[in-house]
Amino acid sequence: MVQKYQSPVRVYKHPFELVMAAYERRFPTCHLIPIFVASDVMKEETSEDGSTHRIERRCALDVDAPRLLKRIAGVDYIYFIQKNTLNRKERTLHIESHNETFSNRVIIHETCCYSVHPENEDWTCFEQSASLDIKSFFGFESTVEKIAMKQYASSINKGKEIIEYYLKELDDEGITHVPRWTPSSLPPDLPKLAVTPAVFIPLPANAKDSTSQDAKQDSSALQADSLNEILAGTPEDKLDADYIKRYLGDLTPLQESCLIRLRKWLQETHKGKIPKDEHILRFLRARDFNMDKAREILCQSLTWRKQHQVDYLLETWSSPQVLQDYYTGGWHHHDRDGRPLYILRLGQMDTKGLVRALGEESLLRHVLSINEEGLRRCEENTKVFGRPISCWTCLVDLEGLNMRHLWRPGVKALLRIIEVVEANYPETLGRLLILRAPRVFPVLWTLVSPFIDENTRKKFLIYAGNDYQGPGGLVDYIDKEIIPDFLGGECMCEVPEGGLVPKSMYRTAEELENEDVRLWTETIYQSASIFKGAPHELLIEIIDASSVITWDFDVCKGDVVFNIYHSKRAPQPPRKDPLGAHGITSPGGNNVQLIDKSWTLGQDYSMVESPLTCKEGESVQGSHITRWPGFYILQWKFHNMPACSATNLPRVDDVLATLQVSSHKCKVMYYTEVLGSEDFRLVALCVCVYVCK
């Protein structure tokens, strides 16, 4: 496997000629580079006008590797060939190096370049790239790779400190200016440029202490500069090291390399909008800076964003009134680290009502708008607080959470929302504070936690009861002045208090399916029409006994009778809407019959639950533990009103229903799911353990 490295642009706020003078002081020996033990000049030449100087050297390095590995390899030193080309006229120094030792087993190639800053001719830029390809190494390939990358990363960190060390030394000697080259200014005995190995440069502790202080002083100077000065000279397709530190945070050299390489790859191959550096970095962090994995999920997310126009969501999305009134979440100042703070009063939220009134699409779109707003607030806080802020804090108040929040369609919708957010907004949650967790919370956590990334789960802090008010509680993460009033603080919080969504606001499956833009291709609920003499039936095949059939349905129109039957043999293919044969249509719903007219109850099939009469407007939830494998039929049947006891004549309603069936149909919206016995026992166990405490 080929390991690659690409550095950001590192800027020395000194002229090119002065940086070259500092660079030359590293030779012929340098106490700051103890592993560079020797070098021999192999070739050297200078152009006639003296503007270009080339030198090739063979360098010996005493690499810090286990003695056993050196004995197996049969070498004490590693030899590199390095070629330097100094162009005094163009004010550039190009360095190329490759390994001579073990070149048939390991291939190391590195290029470095010093050049004039494109927007400030008195500054000098430095860039570095390298590749490592270990083909075979006596079975120690992994060990050699780790040693090489560790020492290489160390040398990158200390390379700038070494140049800064010699620049300070020049300044102490009173050398603050070196004249530029001109055709007539080159004396015959001008010292020629020496060579340096561009790899593996460890720094002794005593030198590190002295140079670290200088580096800190230089960093302070950089912070004093304006933003425009920092960014002005960096080409648009490159990243400045100071910009990375200021806006993206402290990254290791190899992490910087991953960011730059992935960014460059997107610029070269991606035809759409290039995401911001902070966004690219989130995907790298989500995959522990594995380039291939990060690139895969980032490309999938970019395709998703383009397909659904997510970049324009904040401008185009307007929250429906039901969300403004009943969605118990909102932004509220920031935490102690400057992260935007989002508050969600989940225990006060009518999850079923919101799903039924809005549908999953609108609810998902609202959650996405919250995440997009979070990204915007992170950028804003980064500028306000003067340090990188790439994630937010979420405070979830669970007071009021109970078993109704475990409504399975609602939980399923929540899991699907989590799946979309995890895939497209990684590493955006800095901390999750869960307050006033009730006894039922572990049940919900058991259902939800497997869908949450492990790194995200580590950011969860859970407080039961009033534990959040004590030491180590809320005040450790949020300033006392902004603690919301409903948590005992003095700050007014504008998050809606929620409540039950009126059933008059519920929408049918057809209405929800007719949304203009869909982010999901299917819906949880299905709708069915029921007529007198034409029930709607649903087939569920059970392989393992003791499985659990769960259901949730709403009677939207009319009264129905709900039955569950079992049969050992499969029914014939379903007959859809038989009323059509009599010229009667059933618009706006599905209607399927499975039980054959020739079947006899008690012989061909059996009833496993008592009939349940359901009135118009009722919501029904339930479950059935299966005793046998086979075929189970869920049936919704038209409820016949009892005839008058004084006469056997049919009622007027029955006559009208016969003549005009379509105007007297029933309608239901239903959702079913089959749970394995193990999954059901796990949930039941959690309920028993935590609810009965």
Side-chain angles (χ1 to χ4, degrees):
M1 179 178 178
V2 179
Q3 295 280 356
K4 294 183 178 181
Y5 171 79
Q6 174 65 55
S7 76
V9 179
R10 304 191 185 277
V11 179
Y12 299 96
K13 294 190 174 182
H14 301 278
F16 176 80
E17 289 73 22
L18 191 63
V19 173
M20 291 298 98
Y23 179 86
E24 292 175 12
R25 291 210 168 194
R26 301 163 62 171
F27 307 98
T29 60
C30 175
H31 68 280
L32 301 178
I33 316 174
I35 65 169
F36 180 43
V37 295
S39 65
D40 296 318
V41 176
M42 308 293 293
K43 185 187 299 184
E44 186 175 14
E45 60 183 16
T46 303
S47 62
E48 292 184 2
D49 62 356
S51 63
T52 304
H53 177 228
R54 298 183 180 87
I55 186 169
E56 180 178 332
R57 292 182 181 252
R58 185 171 185 261
C59 309
L61 304 180
D62 185 9
V63 179
D64 183 17
R67 186 64 185 172
L68 175 61
L69 185 59
K70 288 185 176 182
R71 290 183 61 184
I72 293 175
V75 298
D76 289 323
Y77 302 112
I78 304 296
Y79 289 92
F80 276 77
I81 303 299
Q82 189 182 66
K83 300 177 181 179
N84 287 18
T85 301
L86 172 66
N87 189 320
R88 299 185 178 94
K89 181 179 180 180
E90 301 293 336
R91 303 177 75 193
T92 61
L93 171 63
H94 291 280
I95 305 171
E96 293 188 10
S97 62
H98 64 272
N99 62 305
E100 181 184 73
T101 307
F102 304 124
S103 59
N104 62 329
R105 298 179 179 273
V106 181
I107 299 175
I108 301 176
H109 184 264
E110 182 186 50
T111 60
C112 303
C113 178
Y114 289 88
S115 60
V116 178
H117 196 287
E119 296 295 331
N120 190 330
E121 63 179 13
D122 290 329
W123 290 0
T124 304
C125 294
F126 173 74
E127 292 182 79
Q128 185 177 15
S129 63
S131 63
L132 169 66
D133 184 8
I134 301 179
K135 299 183 180 299
S136 63
F137 204 86
F138 313 106
F140 289 88
E141 291 80 8
S142 178
T143 302
V144 171
E145 180 178 315
K146 290 179 181 178
I147 293 173
M149 298 310 295
K150 178 181 178 181
Q151 292 206 3
Y152 191 76
S154 177
S155 72
I156 294 166
N157 272 331
K158 297 169 183 176
K160 183 176 180 179
E161 295 181 2
I162 294 174
I163 293 295
E164 296 286 358
Y165 176 85
Y166 285 115
L167 284 169
K168 185 177 184 301
E169 188 175 82
L170 288 170
D171 185 69
D172 292 342
E173 296 174 6
I175 303 175
T176 58
H177 175 72
V178 175
R180 297 184 185 180
W181 177 89
T182 60
S184 59
S185 65
L186 181 63
D189 58 346
L190 182 71
K192 297 178 180 179
L193 179 69
V195 67
T196 176
V199 294
F200 309 139
I201 310 176
L203 188 65
N206 58 347
K208 181 178 180 180
D209 293 339
S210 62
T211 56
S212 295
Q213 184 176 359
D214 298 332
K216 290 179 181 178
Q217 293 175 354
D218 183 69
S219 177
S220 300
L222 284 174
Q223 292 180 0
D225 293 327
S226 67
L227 172 62
N228 291 335
E229 185 181 45
I230 293 177
L231 301 179
T234 304
E236 292 183 359
D237 62 337
K238 297 181 180 180
L239 291 180
D240 183 278
D242 297 317
Y243 160 82
I244 291 177
K245 185 175 182 179
R246 167 65 178 81
Y247 288 94
L248 304 180
D250 291 323
L251 304 177
T252 68
L254 296 182
Q255 290 173 345
E256 289 178 339
S257 172
C258 289
L259 172 62
I260 294 168
R261 288 163 52 206
L262 184 52
R263 185 177 186 265
K264 182 178 180 182
W265 180 84
L266 287 171
Q267 290 170 335
E268 294 174 349
T269 62
H270 185 61
K271 296 181 180 180
K273 180 181 178 181
I274 302 298
K276 296 181 180 180
D277 300 322
E278 300 92 322
H279 201 58
I280 299 175
L281 188 58
R282 290 186 181 99
F283 284 86
L284 285 167
R285 283 175 170 153
R287 291 298 180 266
D288 295 324
F289 287 87
N290 183 303
M291 274 281 295
D292 293 334
K293 293 181 179 179
R295 178 167 51 204
E296 180 182 355
I297 61 173
L298 177 57
C299 288
Q300 292 173 354
S301 179
L302 292 177
T303 301
W304 173 83
R305 293 183 70 89
K306 181 178 180 180
Q307 180 181 357
H308 301 294
Q309 298 292 297
V310 179
D311 288 331
Y312 309 103
L313 188 61
L314 290 180
E315 291 79 17
T316 59
W317 168 251
S318 179
S319 298
Q321 190 62 42
V322 64
L323 278 175
Q324 298 177 32
D325 295 337
Y326 295 99
Y327 190 87
T328 55
W331 294 99
H332 181 76
H333 301 283
H334 56 80
D335 68 3
R336 288 183 178 272
D337 296 322
R339 296 166 173 165
L341 176 63
Y342 189 83
I343 293 180
L344 181 64
R345 302 184 68 178
L346 184 60
Q348 306 300 316
M349 186 180 295
D350 180 9
T351 53
K352 177 178 180 178
L354 289 175
V355 172
R356 294 299 311 277
L358 293 169
E360 298 171 15
E361 302 299 327
S362 293
L363 199 56
L364 171 62
R365 195 175 299 277
H366 183 64
V367 173
L368 295 182
S369 71
I370 293 172
N371 281 270
E372 290 294 309
E373 174 66 15
L375 297 178
R376 188 194 66 78
R377 287 175 178 257
C378 284
E379 292 183 23
E380 186 177 281
N381 285 18
T382 295
K383 298 175 183 178
V384 171
F385 293 98
R387 61 179 182 273
I389 296 174
S390 60
C391 54
W392 51 82
T393 292
C394 185
L395 186 156
V396 180
D397 179 24
L398 297 183
E399 184 183 46
L401 189 76
N402 53 44
M403 292 301 292
R404 68 182 173 87
H405 288 89
L406 297 181
W407 178 60
R408 291 198 61 80
V411 173
K412 187 172 182 179
L414 173 63
L415 297 180
R416 298 175 75 183
I417 290 174
I418 290 175
E419 184 179 3
V420 173
V421 172
E422 283 279 311
N424 297 284
Y425 300 91
E427 297 297 315
T428 53
L429 182 64
R431 183 180 296 116
L432 180 65
L433 302 171
I434 299 177
L435 309 185
R436 302 197 279 194
R439 292 175 177 177
V440 74
F441 171 72
V443 181
L444 181 62
W445 180 246
T446 300
L447 297 172
V448 172
S449 60
F451 295 86
I452 302 176
D453 179 77
E454 181 180 356
N455 292 331
T456 303
R457 291 201 301 268
K458 294 178 181 177
K459 303 171 184 177
F460 286 31
L461 296 172
I462 303 174
Y463 299 89
N466 294 322
D467 292 348
Y468 69 93
Q469 296 178 344
L474 201 55
V475 292
D476 284 10
Y477 307 102
I478 300 175
D479 289 333
K480 183 178 180 180
E481 294 76 15
I482 65 170
I483 294 179
D485 51 345
F486 63 86
L487 292 176
E490 300 178 355
C491 185
M492 293 297 296
C493 183
E494 298 181 357
V495 174
E497 295 183 0
L500 295 177
V501 178
K503 288 189 176 181
S504 60
M505 304 182 73
Y506 285 12
R507 301 166 69 190
T508 65
E510 288 80 6
E511 291 174 331
L512 296 176
E513 289 173 359
N514 289 331
E515 295 290 340
D516 293 336
V517 180
R518 295 186 58 79
L519 298 178
W520 291 326
T521 57
E522 70 275 0
T523 179
I524 287 180
Y525 283 93
Q526 299 183 52
S527 61
S529 295
I530 298 104
F531 304 90
K532 187 175 181 179
H536 177 71
E537 295 165 343
L538 178 69
L539 180 66
I540 298 176
E541 183 178 4
I542 297 296
I543 305 299
D544 299 322
S546 300
S547 296
V548 182
I549 302 174
T550 66
W551 58 82
D552 178 275
F553 64 86
D554 290 276
V555 184
C556 304
K557 182 179 181 181
D559 299 341
V560 300
V561 178
F562 179 63
N563 293 298
I564 305 178
Y565 301 102
H566 172 262
S567 175
K568 294 182 180 179
R569 57 178 175 144
Q572 295 297 318
R575 295 172 287 116
K576 293 189 177 182
D577 197 10
L579 298 178
H582 302 283
I584 302 173
T585 60
S586 57
N590 189 26
N591 183 272
V592 176
Q593 288 89 56
L594 298 169
I595 300 177
D596 194 276
K597 298 294 184 181
S598 63
W599 281 17
T600 302
L601 183 62
Q603 296 180 7
D604 301 292
Y605 67 107
S606 59
M607 183 179 292
V608 296
E609 290 278 358
S610 299
L612 178 65
T613 302
C614 309
K615 300 294 184 179
E616 181 175 323
E618 286 187 350
S619 297
V620 181
Q621 302 173 33
S623 62
H624 173 76
I625 302 177
T626 61
R627 296 178 59 186
W628 316 280
F631 300 91
Y632 287 79
I633 300 173
L634 276 58
Q635 181 192 76
W636 290 267
K637 185 171 64 173
F638 189 93
H639 176 55
N640 291 309
M641 297 295 293
C644 178
S645 59
T647 178
N648 291 326
L649 294 175
R651 296 182 304 117
V652 174
D653 288 346
D654 293 335
V655 175
L656 292 176
T658 304
L659 297 175
Q660 196 176 12
V661 178
S662 61
S663 64
H664 290 270
K665 68 180 180 180
C666 298
K667 189 171 184 179
V668 297
M669 290 181 60
Y670 65 90
Y671 164 82
T672 63
E673 185 176 2
V674 177
L675 298 177
S677 57
E678 294 182 358
D679 295 335
F680 182 76
R681 290 193 187 102
L682 175 60
V683 175
L685 178 61
C686 292
V687 173
C688 292
V689 170
Y690 293 102
V691 176
C692 297
K693 276 187 177 180

